């Protein structure tokens, strides 16, 4: 059912428009505001406070002041706040989904999926909060005792991208709260509204003032630079492009900050001749088209064993070509717009260059006429191995297909990238999975699965895809530091 303009207006009217600092929503110190647009129409959705350096430091003041008290707050109390937040987000799933569709463009069904996925980090970390174990042992010499405890790392700066506005926030805020850290969250300027509503929900769940502060703004560096330079900050957790991540790692060196970096990807989707072909095509659709291809885990290169390449590609192209583009609030829309004009133009440049280099267009291949930044779901066959489209993150609904001969050839082609986030493997042979996973230089491997993100699993990459893991037991460790206490032989005191 298409969403009515009245419903959209009512939801937007409920979104806080200020900066959240020390539990209060306030205007930017400069008094400036910034507009947030709908990528499906180009129209303004809402204007919110445009935070700058002064606001960023006020937010850090608030986080630093709240840190000691929050670290001492009973784990059960922190856990119950996260559990309550999970319940509130779930109860408001339709609001969160519609808001993400409006500001980011993904179809409502996808946005609902993100709400369920994003809320799960709140539930998972509510459960992890009370299980953050240390250890106690006798030293190997048999005399002294070794006590190891985990403590919150301290105030954190959390920077999130525009493509998953809720899940990228909960994936950081959830474990930070569980570990006992306070934080300043800086959402992407293209999609800050979901974080505004999420922060309001966290306050309603009982989070004390100052634990979560939110500063959106049109200049990311104006917000992050003074915070990163301040010795009270102890950690930066970033999700976004490799280029910006590298810059932030350099900025983080002066204060020797803990860093977690969830950066770009260039996922290979590898299909062996022994795979169930129809399941592989369905998996390819999921791995490519989740979030319109605007996902760090999106399959970026389809590597298909030579003997089945023509059949796989033909079936894949039929399914891709049948997808309907449209504003995400419209009934029947399966593929929303790209985030902005620049993103769409970049995608088309990659497609055009691949075609000029000899690739064949089996579906799509062009922008969609009319308002919004829509691009046709596209399948390219016979893509030369040195084409730019295989070396760069496409971040759109475009699937380049190429071939390989055997396992070693597949691994060699898959690893020929500076990225190492997600990879996908389709085969009926489990031993092949074990051999291939040893060879693949990727933080994650999907086996006969096109979508692998899960709050209970350690998400993250190797090489230029980043450092650290989000989700699972590993996720909370990113927000704790280890303290060792050496205890003299208790029989000799
Ligand atoms: P981006 O341009 O790197 O921006 C990400 C965040 O960094 C935004 O909040 C942005 O703020 C901020 N930022 C930009 N320049 C900055 C600076 N100089 N100092 C401090 N902060 C700065 O990435 P994006 O286009 O939003 O997101 C797409 C990228 O994210 C892709 O590469 C994708 O693969 C990656 N990603 C990775 C994961 C993962 O888990 N590995 C998940 C999702 C996305 P503004 O919005 O204000 O510019």
């Amino acid at each position: 059912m298409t969403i009515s303009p009245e419903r959209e207006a009512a939801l937007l009217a409920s979104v806080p428009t200020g900066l959240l600092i020390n539990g209060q929503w306030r205007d930017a110190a400069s008094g400036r505001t910034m507009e947030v647009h709908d990528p499906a129409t180009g129209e303004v959705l809402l204007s919110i406070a445009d935070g700058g350096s002064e606001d960023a430091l006020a937010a850090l003041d608030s986080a630093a002041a709240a840190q000691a008290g929050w670290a001492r707050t009973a784990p059960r109390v922190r856990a119950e706040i996260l559990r309550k937040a999970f319940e509130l987000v779930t109860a408001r799933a339709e609001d969160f989904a519609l808001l993400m569709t409006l500001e980011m463009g993904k179809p409502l069904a996808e946005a609902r999926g993100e709400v369920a996925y994003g809320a799960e980090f709140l539930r998972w970390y509510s459960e992890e909060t009370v299980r953050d174990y240390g250890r106690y042992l006798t030293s190997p010499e048999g005399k002294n005792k070794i006590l190891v405890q985990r403590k919150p790392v301290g105030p954190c700066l959390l920077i999130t991208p525009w493509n998953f506005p809720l899940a990228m926030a909960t994936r950081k805020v959830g474990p930070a709260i569980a570990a006992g850290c306070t934080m300043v969250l800086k959402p992407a300027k293209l999609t800050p509204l979901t974080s505004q509503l999420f922060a309001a929900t966290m306050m309603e769940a009982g989070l004390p003032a100052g634990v979560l502060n939110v500063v959106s703004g049109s200049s990311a560096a104006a917000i992050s630079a003074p915070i990163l330079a301040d010795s009270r900050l102890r950690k930066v957790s970033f999700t976004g492009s490799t280029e910006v991540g590298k810059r932030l790692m350099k900025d983080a060196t002066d204060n020797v900050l803990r860093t977690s970096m969830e950066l770009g990807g260039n996922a290979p989707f590898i299909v062996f001749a022994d795979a169930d072909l129809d399941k592989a095509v369905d998996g390819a659709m999921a791995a490519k088209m989740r979030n319109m291809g605007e996902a760090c885990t999106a399959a970026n290169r389809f590597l298909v064993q030579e003997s089945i390449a023509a059949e796989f590609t033909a079936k894949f192209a039929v399914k891709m070509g049948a997808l309907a583009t449209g504003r995400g609030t419209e009934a029947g829309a399966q593929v929303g717009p790209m985030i902005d004009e620049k993103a769409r133009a970049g995608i088309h440049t990659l497609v055009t260059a691949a075609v000029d280099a000899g690739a064949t267009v089996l579906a799509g291949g062009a922008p969609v006429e009319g308002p919004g930044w829509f691009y046709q779901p596209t399948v390219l066959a016979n893509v030369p191995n040195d084409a730019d489209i295989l070396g760069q993150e496409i971040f759109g609904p475009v699937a380049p297909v190429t071939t390989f001969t055997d396992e070693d050839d597949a691994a060699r082609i898959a690893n020929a990238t500076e990225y190492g986030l997600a990879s996908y493997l389709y085969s009926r042979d489990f031993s092949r999975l074990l051999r291939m996973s040893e060879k693949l230089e990727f933080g994650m491997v999907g086996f006969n699965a096109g979508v692998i993100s899960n709050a209970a699993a350690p998400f993250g990459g190797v090489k230029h895809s980043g450092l650290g893991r989000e989700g699972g037991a590993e996720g909370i460790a990113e927000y704790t530091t280890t303290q060792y206490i050496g205890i003299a032989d208790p029989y000799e005191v």
Side-chain angles (χ1 to χ4, degrees):
M1 198 177 68
T2 300
I3 302 294
S4 71
E6 293 74 25
R7 162 84 174 109
E8 291 180 19
L11 173 60
L12 290 169
S14 73
V15 176
T17 56
L19 311 171
L20 179 62
I21 297 174
N22 201 21
Q24 303 292 318
W25 293 99
R26 31 165 130 155
D27 291 340
S30 66
R32 280 200 305 267
T33 58
M34 65 174 187
E35 293 175 342
V36 182
H37 296 89
D38 179 344
T41 62
E43 285 170 14
V44 176
L45 292 168
L46 199 62
S47 288
I48 66 166
D50 183 359
S53 298
E54 198 178 325
D55 306 300
L57 282 176
L60 183 60
D61 288 346
S62 157
Q67 179 59 62
W70 184 237
R72 279 197 308 274
T73 302
R76 179 66 72 202
V77 172
R78 299 201 302 265
E80 295 291 335
I81 292 170
L82 282 173
R83 176 72 202 195
K84 177 77 180 161
F86 163 74
E87 284 163 9
L88 289 174
V89 170
T90 304
R92 287 179 194 156
E94 284 304 303
D95 283 354
F96 276 104
L98 179 55
L99 196 54
M100 281 195 280
T101 294
L102 292 177
E103 65 175 343
M104 187 275 166
K106 68 184 78 189
L108 262 180
E110 289 228 25
R112 290 185 183 115
E114 181 176 342
V115 178
Y117 169 55
E120 211 45 62
F121 287 97
L122 303 171
R123 176 156 64 176
W124 171 264
Y125 283 106
S126 80
E127 294 158 349
E128 289 293 282
T129 308
V130 291
R131 291 172 179 70
D132 194 18
Y133 304 121
R135 65 183 194 272
Y136 176 73
L137 67 155
T138 301
S139 72
E141 296 72 29
K143 289 178 174 286
N144 298 349
K145 303 292 179 185
I146 294 169
L147 183 62
V148 180
Q149 63 172 340
R150 303 216 304 193
K151 298 164 65 172
V153 68
C156 305
L157 173 61
L158 313 177
I159 303 180
T160 52
W162 51 263
N163 58 346
F164 291 100
L166 180 65
M168 297 302 100
T170 58
R171 208 164 77 165
K172 297 186 189 303
V173 172
I177 287 177
C181 295
T182 61
M183 64 211 88
V184 179
L185 170 64
K186 194 218 82 66
K189 64 173 174 286
L190 295 171
T191 60
L193 303 183
T194 305
S195 288
Q196 299 284 107
L197 188 63
F198 170 57
T201 307
M202 292 306 303
M203 298 312 287
E204 206 182 315
L207 201 63
V211 174
L212 169 64
N213 304 275
V214 182
V215 182
S216 292
S218 57
S219 169
I223 297 167
S224 69
I227 298 183
L228 289 167
D230 193 305
S231 60
R232 293 172 298 172
L233 188 76
R234 294 313 320 137
K235 176 182 175 76
V236 55
S237 174
F238 170 79
T239 299
S241 61
T242 296
E243 183 192 354
V244 173
K246 286 180 183 174
R247 193 176 318 153
L248 290 173
M249 285 177 79
K250 285 182 189 147
D251 293 347
T253 51
D254 279 350
N255 269 328
V256 195
L257 295 176
R258 283 277 292 279
T259 56
S260 297
M261 294 282 149
E262 296 283 356
L263 310 179
N266 181 358
F269 188 99
I270 307 168
V271 188
F272 283 90
D274 67 352
D276 179 322
L277 208 60
D278 290 325
K279 286 197 176 136
V281 171
D282 288 346
M285 294 295 292
K288 179 74 258 180
M289 294 308 293
R290 177 171 176 240
N291 226 38
M292 294 88 78
E294 292 174 320
C296 52
T297 50
N300 209 57
R301 300 170 286 156
F302 291 82
L303 314 184
V304 188
Q305 201 155 18
E306 279 171 345
S307 60
I308 54 155
E311 192 185 351
F312 172 88
T313 316
K315 286 187 172 192
F316 188 25
V318 169
K319 290 212 167 188
M320 287 283 278
L323 292 173
T325 54
R327 187 171 186 242
T329 52
E330 287 164 10
Q334 292 169 295
V335 185
M338 301 295 95
I339 191 68
D340 60 16
E341 186 174 14
K342 187 167 156 246
R344 182 172 74 167
I347 292 163
H348 194 50
T349 302
L350 288 174
V351 170
T352 313
V355 172
D356 288 347
T360 319
V361 179
L362 295 187
V368 178
E369 297 283 321
W373 315 118
F374 294 91
Y375 199 85
Q376 296 172 345
T378 297
V379 176
L380 302 174
N382 309 315
V383 181
N385 273 328
D386 60 351
D388 275 356
I389 200 163
L390 299 177
Q392 292 182 28
E393 206 176 16
I394 304 168
F395 238 57
V398 177
V401 185
T402 172
T403 59
F404 66 88
T405 52
D406 57 17
E407 284 184 12
D408 281 342
D409 195 35
R412 181 187 59 76
I413 298 171
N415 290 337
T417 167
E418 74 263 32
Y419 295 107
L421 192 61
S423 57
Y424 303 89
L425 187 63
Y426 271 73
S427 166
R428 284 193 174 95
D429 180 351
F430 194 73
S431 309
R432 193 197 299 286
L433 163 71
L434 299 182
R435 287 192 300 273
M436 285 296 289
S437 60
E438 285 183 9
K439 291 176 193 164
L440 288 171
E441 297 165 357
F442 291 83
M444 299 177 280
V445 182
F447 183 53
N448 294 326
V451 176
I452 53 173
S453 300
N454 192 298
F459 186 107
V462 298
K463 294 160 76 177
H464 290 211
S465 288
L467 297 170
R469 293 293 180 268
E470 289 188 324
E474 288 83 353
I476 193 168
E478 299 282 319
Y479 293 90
T480 60
T481 184
T482 302
Q483 186 176 51
Y484 153 56
I485 303 169
I487 304 169
D489 186 343
Y491 294 98
E492 287 189 1
V493 285

